């Protein structure tokens, strides 16, 4: 079912350059979305960037190594409302039939406090060209996202909003909320060189890599939010797995072993022992079922470093190029 919604935006920009060496760019956006309540509908998102071409300075003219060198920095904010459904601040119903009689089902719980998710990005970079054949860039970034839009699940006792279990197999009650802040910091490095360059031939080799650190910096009341095999927790990554630890196979029974939940009550432990479903091996406690296993941090899906290697060989007007991507580290579930 398509629900029409409306967006409105006002954008302004001012650019200034001085002596082909100094550049400043100012941007501002004022955007509105009907997904939010009237008093939360609009958001202001400014941005500023500056650049300095050092190679154009007089003190750089006499040297013959650096052909181009530029230092740039920028900071800007953008808004996002894609994390919520249409008119997320309203209570919505769906018409259907129940026992042959027309009925309306609640399909959306309202949240009038919803507002724009805002991301602010700081970027500082140095880029240049050496010996008229080697290009490079070093880019540091720090992106902070606040008031993140997420789906929050209610207890089953609150009733259902997803009646046909299209998004969740339980059809449980859910609503949208701004629930936290996240920070991403990292470094991007890119370089390429013309290994061969003649009248008819040119062979270029390039490499780029990126490292990124993701961290949740704020949650409502500092409380963890369990989300499937992940646990949103301050100081941890959004992409960090939080699930049961498989400890191997019990050689006597052939059954899978999991690390026992250390918070199990004494009565539960005694009941499991009586059933033969709880055992201790070399001082460690194990269970056969994940229902009584403990969740633990298992590592992040984010790679330690990722990027690509590329090369291109050109003869006159004919070019053959190859691109290979790589990723080192990171867990897969």
């Amino acid at each position: 079912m398509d629900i029409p919604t409306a967006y409105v935006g006002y954008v302004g920009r001012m650019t200034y350059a001085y002596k082909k060496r100094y550049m400043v760019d100012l941007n501002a956006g004022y955007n509105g979305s009907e997904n939010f309540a009237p008093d939360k509908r609009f958001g202001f998102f400014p941005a500023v960037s500056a650049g300095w071409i050092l190679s154009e300075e007089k003190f750089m003219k006499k040297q013959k190594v650096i052909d181009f060198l530029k230092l740039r920095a920028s900071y800007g904010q953008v808004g996002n409302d894609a994390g919520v459904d249409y008119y997320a601040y309203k209570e919505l119903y769906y018409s259907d039939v129940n026992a042959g009689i027309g009925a309306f089902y609640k399909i959306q719980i309202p949240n009038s406090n919803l507002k724009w998710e805002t991301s602010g990005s700081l970027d500082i970079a140095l880029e240049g060209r050496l010996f008229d054949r080697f290009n490079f860039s070093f880019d540091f970034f720090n992106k902070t996202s606040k008031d993140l839009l997420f789906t929050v699940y209610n207890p089953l006792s609150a009733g259902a909003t997803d009646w046909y279990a299209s998004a969740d197999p339980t059809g449980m009650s859910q609503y949208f909320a701004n629930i936290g802040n996240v920070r991403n910091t990292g470094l991007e490095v890119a370089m390429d060189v013309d290994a061969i360059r003649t009248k008819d031939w040119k062979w270029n080799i390039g490499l780029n890599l990126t490292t990124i650190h993701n961290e949740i910096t704020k949650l409502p009341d500092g409380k963890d939010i369990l989300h499937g095999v992940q646990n949103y927790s301050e100081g941890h990554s959004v992409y960090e797995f939080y699930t049961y630890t498989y400890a191997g196979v019990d050689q006597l029974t052939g059954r899978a072993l999991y690390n026992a939940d250390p918070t199990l009550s004494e009565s539960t432990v005694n009941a499991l022992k009586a059933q033969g479903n709880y055992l201790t091996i070399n001082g460690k406690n194990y269970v056969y079922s994940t229902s009584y296993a403990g969740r633990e941090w298992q590592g992040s899906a984010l790679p330690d470093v990722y990027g690509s290697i590329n090369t291109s060989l050109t003869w006159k007007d004919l070019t053959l190029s190859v691109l290979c991507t790589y990723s080192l580290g990171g867990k897969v579930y």
Side-chain angles (χ1 to χ4, degrees), residues 74-80 117-124 139-146 148 181-188 211-217 238-239:
S74 64
Y75 177 79
Q77 293 183 342
V78 294
N80 173 43
E117 175 183 309
T118 304
S119 295
S121 297
L122 171 67
D123 187 274
I124 302 173
D139 197 324
F140 169 80
F141 61 90
N142 181 17
K143 180 180 179 181
T144 302
S145 300
K146 64 178 183 178
L148 295 174
N181 300 348
V182 172
R183 180 174 61 238
N184 291 284
T185 56
L187 179 68
E188 294 181 352
T211 64
I212 186 170
H213 174 73
N214 173 272
E215 181 182 351
I216 297 173
T217 57
V238 173
Y239 306 98

Side-chain angles (χ1 to χ4, degrees), residues 244-248 256-261 285-290 292-294:
Y244 314 109
T245 300
Y246 172 70
L257 289 173
Y258 301 91
N259 290 349
D261 186 349
N285 300 319
Y286 302 96
V287 292
Y288 291 128
S289 171
T290 56
Y292 302 99

Side-chain angles (χ1 to χ4, degrees), residues 186-205:
L187 179 68
E188 294 181 352
V189 179
M191 56 188 70
D192 69 87
V193 61
D194 294 334
I196 295 176
R197 189 175 62 204
T198 65
K199 179 182 178 181
D200 294 329
W201 290 90
K202 180 181 177 181
W203 180 28
N204 181 270
I205 305 171

Side-chain angles (χ1 to χ4, degrees), residues 268-287:
T268 300
V269 171
N270 291 335
L272 289 173
K273 286 182 177 179
Q275 299 167 6
N277 292 326
Y278 191 99
L279 62 159
T280 302
I281 303 174
N282 296 328
K284 290 202 67 174
N285 300 319
Y286 302 96
V287 292

Side-chain angles (χ1 to χ4, degrees), residues 25-266:
D25 191 89
L26 301 175
N27 292 273
Y30 188 64
N31 301 329
S33 168
E34 283 193 322
N35 292 339
F36 307 116
D39 61 331
K40 307 283 186 181
R41 185 158 294 168
F42 285 88
F44 178 67
F45 308 106
V48 59
S49 61
W52 177 23
I53 302 180
L54 289 84
S55 54
E56 291 296 321
E57 297 289 352
K58 291 183 180 180
F59 61 82
M60 296 286 289
K61 293 298 184 180
K62 294 183 179 181
Q63 55 81 36
K64 298 182 180 181
V65 175
I66 302 175
D67 303 296
F68 177 79
L69 189 64
K70 179 180 180 181
L71 179 65
R72 55 180 170 83
S74 64
Y75 177 79
Q77 293 183 342
V78 294
N80 173 43
D81 72 333
V84 298
D85 288 341
Y86 295 136
Y87 302 101
Y89 71 99
K90 288 187 175 183
E91 192 169 44
L92 300 182
Y93 292 83
Y94 179 76
S95 61
D96 207 333
V97 176
N98 183 10
I101 301 176
F104 287 95
Y105 296 91
K106 182 187 289 187
I107 60 171
Q108 182 167 281
I109 297 175
N111 183 357
S112 60
N113 294 319
L114 280 176
K115 56 184 177 181
W116 285 90
E117 175 183 309
T118 304
S119 295
S121 297
L122 171 67
D123 187 274
I124 302 173
L126 179 68
E127 57 185 56
R129 181 174 176 84
L130 308 178
F131 304 105
D132 194 30
R133 65 173 56 231
F134 178 73
N135 301 302
F136 69 89
S137 68
F138 301 93
D139 197 324
F140 169 80
F141 61 90
N142 181 17
K143 180 180 179 181
T144 302
S145 300
K146 64 178 183 178
D147 301 320
L148 295 174
L149 293 168
F150 276 99
T151 300
V152 179
Y153 291 95
N154 287 324
L156 289 174
S157 58
T161 53
D162 188 11
W163 288 94
Y164 299 101
S166 58
D168 186 277
T170 65
M172 64 194 303
S173 173
Q174 57 189 28
Y175 66 98
F176 299 102
N178 301 94
I179 66 170
N181 300 348
V182 172
R183 180 174 61 238
N184 291 284
T185 56
L187 179 68
E188 294 181 352
V189 179
M191 56 188 70
D192 69 87
V193 61
D194 294 334
I196 295 176
R197 189 175 62 204
T198 65
K199 179 182 178 181
D200 294 329
W201 290 90
K202 180 181 177 181
W203 180 28
N204 181 270
I205 305 171
L207 165 72
N208 69 74
L209 62 88
T210 301
T211 64
I212 186 170
H213 174 73
N214 173 272
E215 181 182 351
I216 297 173
T217 57
K218 183 181 178 182
L219 288 172
D221 301 322
K223 296 181 179 179
D224 293 357
I225 300 175
L226 190 62
H227 189 266
V229 295
Q230 292 161 318
N231 185 27
Y232 300 144
S233 177
E234 292 183 1
H236 288 272
S237 170
V238 173
Y239 306 98
E240 195 167 354
F241 294 111
Y242 184 75
T243 186
Y244 314 109
T245 300
Y246 172 70
V249 176
D250 185 350
Q251 296 183 4
L252 296 179
T253 65
R255 299 175 65 184
L257 289 173
Y258 301 91
N259 290 349
D261 186 349
T263 64
L264 291 175
S265 65
E266 184 178 354

